[in-house]
Amino acid sequence: MRDSHDSGVGSVRRRALLTAAATGAAGLAGCLRQFRSTRQQRSPEQLSLEIHTLAGDYDARATEIGRTLSDNLSAVGVDTELVLLPEDELRRETLISQEYDLFVSRHPDIRDPDFLRPLLHSSFASEIGWQNPFNFTDFTVDELVVQQKEETGIERRGTVAELQHELARQQPFVPIAVPDHISTTRSTRFGDWQRVQLQSPLSLLQLEARGDESEQLRLVTTDDRITRNLNPLAVEYRSKGTITQLLYDSLGRRYDGKIRPWAASDWEFEQTGTGPVATVTLDPSLQWHNGESLTADDVAFTIEFLQDTSLGAFDVPVPAPQFRGRTSLIDTVDTVDDEVLEIHFAETTPEIAVRSMTLPIVPRAEWEEKINAPEVAGIELSETLTEALVWNNDEPIGSGPFVFDSREEGQELHLKRYDDHFLTRKDGRSEELATAFPNGVPFERISLTSVRSDSVAVQLLKDDEADSVLPNLDSSTVPSIGREQEIELHVNPSQSLYLVGCNTSREPLGNPHFRRVIARLLDKESLVSNVFGGFATPAASPLSTTTWLAPEFEWNGTDPELPFFGTEGELDVEAARQELREIGFSYSSDDELLEQ
Amino acid sequence: MSLLVHYAQMVVFVGVCLGIGLITIVGRERIQTFYSEYDIRLRDGLPHLGFLALVFVLSMYWRPIGGEVSWTVGIRITHTLYGIEGNLVATIQQIATTELTWALSILYVFGYVFLLVFPLVAYLFLDSLRLFRVTVLAYVINYVIGLLSYTAFVAYGPRNYMPTEVGGLMYDVWPQIEALTTQINVNTNVFPSLHTSLAVTAALLAWYSRTEYPQWFYLATVLAVSIAFSTMYLGLHWGVDVVAGTVLAVVSVWVAFQIAAETSDESVITRSGRRVFAAVKQARP
């Protein structure tokens, strides 16, 4: 009995122990499970974003756009840091290494909607330069940017309008404004500046020399990059390539409103089933600056080289980023003889294909040696770049109307006229060229002086130490130019676009709702009046000010798609926070916007 | 061309000021004493000036390298500097007038050079060259720490951070001077303000020579304060840079007093200089 009793008690106790152990085990397991899930759900921290922009010395407008965005993001609870950089560093961090959250910059050329294809198509995301720096990937946009290059007329116009809608909705980048091109000139030594479109290098050649002292055209710039590097392929150093276009010829050039034969004496387009084919005939007298003759082989080499500067040596092609949009239109090139070549285009229209005629032509003998990976102190860097894209090109050899003479880094650049160029020789020029450039090349030398600020540049003109400013001035200089009798003011719409780029591969910038909020934190109208002094057009679409602008995106005092949270530049913080909450963001008790 | 003109202007301005300073501040008596033993004073003084020149030349080589190092690994602090002081410089600029801008610009460029050069001359006329040695060492310490800081930190001045509110006033009234200042300054070298630190250094040292040169103490103080103010007024430096520059000045002067030799005979630089002079003399008997 006792035994049984004992055993009874014992068994009860044992059962209790077992139960306790079992519950304990379950409890511990539960605890661990809970720990695992909470560990993966670490407590959200304040959202922090960096904005990369140019320092005031390089582009005060970009600085101020960045600062406004930074202030407004801070106001809605984001931990924001504004990072100021010079032009080349900004490009290194945004367009090359793509290590950024948001950046403010200026796209150099928005004339033809085809610029949106390399800028946004997902297949360009891994490339450097203005090739999808946003890492944006979207099915619809991909289809539309490809479709527009294969269409003409009313169809293309429809596709481009649809594309604008899609971009306004998704905001892979926020278009801000198209600035006016402000410049000043002095007519004592050269005349007819009115006729000259100061944004194009060729139009400088249409100037009219006055008197005998006009053998030198003196330009002044606030952008000293051209004095540091003369490589037409270097993406950190080139904007529009105004100077390099004077050193290097291309088959065609845009003058008098259209792309016309330049180094080519003629071309003919033929539409085939797979795309257009252009038969190009070269001017037989073309010569490089070193006296060697320029042949169809050099042209064919250049096109293949610009498509892949490693010439097939690397696993992944390394195209020249500046010209990617244009080289991507070309399939193959065949030389027929020394003067004739055939360019086979991918599926597109001659209207778009003709843009590739403006690629610079470089000598095979020199550039063929630049196909390896660049070396730093004897160590080869990665296979994502070739020497061609990064070398300095200290003594450029082209075939253009000007020859490199000398330079002083950060200070000056001197070019002299190339007397064997077809423009200077004047014999055998086409009628088109003879009419457009009746004086050939009207000056013997070009000097370019680099100064630090716009007011200094204007002063050099006032003191008769310069004839024109390259490339663009801040609107704050307008009154001081206007007051001066001796110098003229020129204001024209430019071909560039200020934008805020979003790195869509970083959270939360991958979220289109969040990007739309960013767009609504900027009052484009007030930026244009305060930062640009009114010398710009606010943009709701990247094609604003072009003939391609869809009518719904015409500016009418406010952004038709994404109006500013607030009025006259004053942010309505509560409205913006409310919108952020609605799209799924939360705030901490200290009003900090939390990571998702 | 215009660069040469600026250098000429500088030499004339500083030269005239030095002349006036010698007559009024140093005085005839000290000049006569100096005249009687100028060979010894110059022999013992020149090596330090040579050392200063050597540091300058070495820094010329370092600057472009330092710039690249700075962009590669430097810490970017512009936003932080703004975060600390906000619109201080923009507020200061609200008092701007053309006359004041001219006055402070001339002070910033020419007055500064005079403030730094005068002690190097005047202290050669003192009975002991110790303060002269301290001055040279303090300048070198300022300069070296300043350059290291420019390499470690990438910082733009207020003019670059808020170009709409803060103007580059000096370049607006006096654009020609840009040719001179770009020769010397890089726009990311703002933290600390070397203009402030060297000017304050000169003023602190003036306090140690107040018995011998009482007027100089007052003049140097006024100049140093105005120059420190001008760096902010002209939109070139943040208030934080000026504070950091002042701290750097105090540290440099203190360290220079610690390491400067008590007598010329104990000074390593002076002794090396003497050996060089002796060797030169032997070489051409």
Side-chain angles (χ1 to χ4, degrees), chain A residues 56-57 64 67 93 452, chain B residues 76 160 164-165 178 185 187:
Chain A
D57 275 352
E64 290 294 355
R67 204 156 67 90
E93 297 189 7
R452 198 177 275 178
Chain B
R76 295 162 186 187
N160 268 301
T164 309
E165 285 99 327
E178 192 246 18
N185 291 334
N187 55 8

Side-chain angles (χ1 to χ4, degrees), chain A residues 248-414:
Chain A
Y248 292 91
D249 276 332
S250 53
L251 293 174
R253 278 284 161 86
R254 188 187 289 271
Y255 61 87
D256 295 341
K258 187 177 153 203
I259 294 171
R260 300 163 194 272
W262 175 257
S265 52
D266 197 15
W267 60 59
E268 254 165 56
F269 276 94
E270 196 186 333
Q271 191 62 271
T272 70
T274 54
V277 176
T279 309
V280 181
T281 314
L282 293 180
D283 179 338
S285 67
L286 290 173
Q287 276 186 3
W288 297 108
H289 294 158
N290 61 9
E292 305 280 323
S293 59
L294 190 165
T295 62
D297 179 58
D298 284 307
V299 180
F301 162 78
T302 301
I303 292 173
E304 281 160 16
F305 183 66
L306 294 178
Q307 286 178 323
D308 177 7
T309 55
S310 81
L311 291 177
F314 294 177
D315 295 338
V316 181
V318 187
Q322 302 290 86
F323 310 108
R324 187 64 175 115
R326 285 171 269 172
T327 53
S328 68
L329 295 168
I330 300 173
D331 262 350
T332 54
V333 192
D334 296 322
T335 50
V336 177
D337 57 39
D338 269 0
E339 284 151 35
V340 181
L341 66 152
E342 277 180 6
I343 305 177
H344 298 259
F345 290 92
E347 203 169 320
T348 183
T349 62
E351 182 194 6
I352 296 175
V354 75
R355 292 178 57 226
S356 1
M357 296 295 180
T358 58
L359 295 167
I361 309 168
V362 299
R364 176 198 274 268
E366 185 180 22
W367 291 77
E368 218 168 23
E369 292 166 9
K370 307 294 177 201
I371 60 170
N372 299 315
E375 290 179 1
V376 170
I379 302 162
E380 277 207 1
L381 297 177
S382 70
E383 281 201 353
T384 54
L385 282 177
T386 55
E387 209 191 331
L389 300 185
V390 296
W391 74 306
N392 269 342
N393 195 19
D394 285 328
E395 282 172 29
I397 295 173
S399 62
F402 279 86
V403 185
F404 169 76
D405 186 23
S406 65
R407 76 186 170 108
E408 199 180 326
E409 201 159 296
Q411 318 267 341
E412 280 169 7
L413 174 73
H414 295 274

Side-chain angles (χ1 to χ4, degrees), chain A residues 69-142:
Chain A
L69 181 58
S70 161
D71 288 350
N72 290 353
L73 274 171
S74 301
V76 299
V78 180
D79 173 22
T80 321
E81 174 154 0
L82 185 67
V83 181
L84 300 183
L85 300 163
E87 187 87 52
D88 53 341
E89 288 297 330
L90 179 76
R91 292 192 187 195
R92 254 173 225 135
E93 297 189 7
T94 57
L95 302 187
I96 296 180
S97 63
Q98 300 178 357
E99 281 170 11
Y100 71 93
D101 300 324
L102 293 162
F103 74 95
V104 183
S105 188
R106 185 170 160 166
H107 190 286
D109 190 351
I110 57 164
R111 276 173 296 181
D112 188 289
D114 196 44
F115 89 90
L116 292 166
R117 185 171 49 89
L119 191 66
L120 293 165
H121 194 284
S122 58
S123 67
F124 292 95
S126 63
E127 297 186 14
I128 62 174
W130 281 107
Q131 272 62 251
N132 202 343
F134 322 114
N135 295 311
F136 182 67
T137 49
D138 183 82
F139 233 33
T140 321
V141 170
D142 276 5

Side-chain angles (χ1 to χ4, degrees), chain B residues 198-246:
Chain B
L198 286 166
V200 172
T201 297
L204 287 174
L205 293 169
W207 191 75
Y208 288 94
S209 64
R210 67 192 181 286
T211 331
E212 293 87 348
Y213 301 141
Q215 306 105 308
W216 173 242
F217 170 61
Y218 297 118
L219 180 61
T221 308
V222 171
L223 283 177
V225 170
S226 321
I227 287 169
F229 178 75
S230 76
T231 64
M232 292 183 283
Y233 173 91
L234 296 172
L236 303 168
H237 283 288
W238 302 94
V240 179
D241 304 334
V242 171
V243 172
T246 309

Side-chain angles (χ1 to χ4, degrees), chain B residues 139-171:
Chain B
Y139 285 179
V140 168
I141 295 165
N142 267 300
Y143 199 63
V144 169
I145 295 182
L147 283 194
L148 290 179
S149 175
Y150 291 160
T151 309
F153 300 107
V154 179
Y156 282 101
R159 183 171 61 100
N160 268 301
Y161 187 86
M162 32 183 158
T164 309
E165 285 99 327
V166 176
L169 299 182
M170 179 160 65
Y171 301 131

